[in-house]
Amino acid sequence: MAPELIVRTTSGLVRGKAEAGVLAFLGVPYAAPPFGEHRFAAPVPVSWDGVRPALTHGPAAPQAPGEDIGLYAPDVFEAGEDCLNLDIRTPMIGPAGLPVLVWIHGGAFAIGGNGAAWHQGHRFARDGVVCVAINYRLGFEGFLALEDAPLNRGVLDWLAALAWVRDNIAAFGGDPGNVTIAGQSAGGAAVATLLSMPRAAGLFHRAVVMSGSATLAATEQEARDHAKALAARLGIDPTRSAFARLSPAALVAEQPPPLSGGPGGLSASVPIKPVVDGDLVPAVPLAALGSSAHIPLLVGCTTQEADVFVRRFAADVDAAGAQALLDHLGVQVDEPGLTPAERVGRAFTEHLFTREARWIREARPAYAYEFRWESPVESPVGGGRVGAVHNLDLPFVFDLLDAPGVGRTAGPAAPQALADAMHAAWVRFARTGDPGWPLDHLWRF
């Protein structure tokens, strides 16, 4: 009989399992459930007696169901109150001193979870990197600016998870002195935010921003006004005690859609986001990235992030209308042979993603990449092909072309050689801080 996989953490003992050729410890709490007396509070430590099974994913944060447009993995997240948890995949337990990758999921700070099929970490563990994926408070639970509650509770959750990793990852084979934080979309914005925060200093040593932003932040006045307007609409005070009388599901029902669209830039399109409070988040992250210039950074995006999504809204636009919209955005698309709808889609990719990556590279040194491989699959929305769409790079980075949903999005012949190359670059970066190309070069996958 195989020995039991039991590890002692600062909170108590956990029992893991062998899974996909590595060791998995799933749903491990890094803080107490943020509900009941802890609702709308900063995360607090958690402990338990005996041996806690860590065999299945923990709950994701309360959220509305994600929109299924027929492109992505069929993820259904089991939400619950014990949502401050993390998953660990490792090749071995004990003092092995392996590099660590901490993954922060995306979802516009409103949806998602660490159980998503396209970013499971067992193949990082297979290749000698301990992979940790965290859940954190989303939506109003994590970011609504109530009068008598701490701001940026979701951000505080990231810090609590990273502190847990610092204090415990050595027992799971990891090196607390070699931690890379990585995230995609809103997770990439989370990484950029952490890079700008003095309180995050020392908790990580490298960073990866995939399809993220360093401008995704609200002013405190905007956040306070939003909370007051919501409270007035509900007929309650904008206080912790008043909002705590709403169930998590009822509060989720009051949230705006994760993405509002429109020409106001990425920050204006994401209604729920971190708040610049002058303390925890001292400034819009882009303005403070220079303080982390000593931390190796990898940043990039896909070539056609927003194209397929925008094309469905711009299907009937004519050439004059497309040009008027591009002029309003201040973006020009000169690629020949595009339809008006395709020009609009390409313009929004530049407006919302490409220039964000470029701004980060201009603010501080960073290794840069562009994911250019285009899926040949016909899009179920907006017409045309899926192309190099938002999220498509995830199963390549995690070497998960066999994950659910990849075939319907990337097609049956997605190139494994490309997944090998991307995954190897991320593994190399986690080990050494160098993905394998010059710092001043835009690497194209």
Side-chain angles (χ1 to χ4, degrees), residues 53-428:
L55 308 176
T56 59
H57 295 297
Q63 59 190 277
E67 180 184 14
D68 181 4
I69 60 171
L71 286 177
Y72 299 142
D75 291 316
V76 177
F77 297 105
E78 184 85 22
E81 295 192 354
D82 198 3
C83 59
L84 301 187
N85 61 73
L86 49 80
D87 292 346
I88 305 165
R89 265 67 174 239
T90 181
M92 63 189 75
I93 56 177
L98 299 172
V100 180
L101 180 78
V102 178
W103 179 254
I104 306 176
H105 72 77
F109 299 121
I111 58 175
N114 65 4
W118 288 14
H119 46 81
Q120 297 301 295
H122 49 278
R123 291 191 174 137
F124 274 104
R126 174 200 66 190
D127 295 327
V129 177
V130 179
C131 189
V132 180
I134 72 170
N135 282 329
Y136 55 95
R137 276 174 284 185
L138 303 170
F140 288 160
E141 298 286 350
F143 297 95
L144 188 64
L146 301 176
E147 289 181 355
D148 52 350
L151 294 170
N152 291 309
R153 296 174 297 277
V155 179
L156 290 170
D157 294 345
W158 307 336
L159 291 177
L162 288 171
W164 191 96
V165 169
R166 177 197 62 202
D167 296 341
N168 292 282
I169 205 62
F172 295 90
D175 178 1
N178 186 7
V179 174
T180 298
I181 59 171
Q184 185 262 356
S185 197
V191 170
T193 303
L194 286 162
L195 281 167
S196 74
M197 291 169 46
R199 283 180 58 180
L203 292 176
F204 60 92
H205 313 90
R206 323 189 199 287
V208 183
V209 175
M210 297 174 58
S211 304
S213 166
T215 63
L216 198 54
T219 68
E220 184 169 351
Q221 188 63 55
E222 289 170 341
R224 299 286 187 196
D225 289 347
H226 183 200
K228 289 176 182 177
L230 174 62
R233 181 163 60 81
L234 296 175
I236 61 177
D237 294 326
T239 62
R240 175 182 175 184
S241 59
F243 273 87
R245 288 194 286 271
L246 298 174
S247 69
L251 190 58
V252 166
E254 298 296 334
Q255 292 175 185
L259 294 172
S260 62
L266 186 59
S267 190
S269 299
V270 180
I272 295 171
K273 54 206 168 197
V275 178
V276 176
D277 58 9
D279 178 23
L280 182 67
V281 182
V284 173
L286 186 65
L289 284 181
S291 64
S292 64
H294 61 289
I295 294 176
L297 172 63
L298 174 61
V299 61
C301 58
T302 74
T303 306
Q304 299 163 345
E305 296 269 6
D307 291 25
V308 69
F309 307 109
V310 173
R311 287 202 307 263
R312 60 178 169 161
F313 299 117
D316 297 327
V317 72
D318 60 15
Q323 187 59 52
L325 182 54
L326 267 60
D327 291 341
H328 180 70
L329 294 176
V331 174
Q332 294 306 314
V333 177
D334 299 322
E335 187 175 340
L338 297 181
T339 68
E342 288 170 337
R343 290 188 72 214
V344 172
R346 200 63 49 84
F348 269 90
T349 288
E350 165 68 24
H351 184 61
L352 298 177
F353 293 98
T354 309
R355 69 176 186 174
E356 292 277 348
R358 185 169 61 248
W359 287 341
I360 293 173
R361 293 168 56 200
E362 292 169 351
R364 49 147 295 160
Y367 292 96
Y369 74 91
E370 182 181 13
F371 181 83
R372 297 173 60 88
W373 183 78
E374 298 182 19
S375 168
V377 173
E378 290 295 318
S379 172
V381 295
R385 295 183 176 182
V386 168
V389 70
H390 190 65
N391 284 5
L392 184 60
D393 51 345
L394 283 171
F396 288 86
V397 167
F398 281 80
D399 190 16
L400 291 173
L401 297 187
D402 55 348
V406 174
R408 74 175 185 180
T409 303
Q416 181 61 47
L418 178 56
D420 293 342
M422 290 197 79
H423 180 71
W426 266 243
V427 168
R428 189 181 303 114

